[in-house]
Amino acid sequence: SSHFGSSVFDVPPSSLLEQSSKADCERMPTAAMEITEAAKSGDGTIINVGIRTTGTFKCQDCAQKFDTEKAKQLHWKFIHDPNRHQED
């Protein structure tokens, strides 16, 4: 226990689960999240998890594909450009 009082770190994880109530679950949103085609990735295989495989413009350095040349250029600038400073 900390000198500032109890915290969630003082309570065993099983107790935290027991403390959640049905009312907590009822407050959770029930509507399905809408995901645009441009935000979807993968083709159902483990190798392509997180890789967009359906775009028209393919990155020259990886398997990512994009719907526009501009999106591909921004990806390359922030992911692959060796002249870009890491702290930017």
Side-chain angles (χ1 to χ4, degrees), residues 39-54 64:
K40 294 180 182 177
S41 67
D43 60 3
T45 64
I46 297 295
I47 194 97
N48 286 327
V49 168
I51 304 292
R52 183 127 194 284
T53 58
T54 59
Q64 289 278 24

Side-chain angles (χ1 to χ4, degrees), residues 12-58:
S14 60
S15 296
L16 292 174
L17 290 175
E18 292 166 5
Q19 291 173 11
S20 67
S21 68
K22 184 177 179 184
D24 291 333
C25 295
E26 290 172 353
R27 285 192 296 256
M28 296 296 291
T30 57
M33 183 185 301
E34 185 177 330
I35 301 173
T36 64
E37 281 301 313
K40 294 180 182 177
S41 67
D43 60 3
T45 64
I46 297 295
I47 194 97
N48 286 327
V49 168
I51 304 292
R52 183 127 194 284
T53 58
T54 59
T56 303
F57 300 88
K58 185 184 179 308

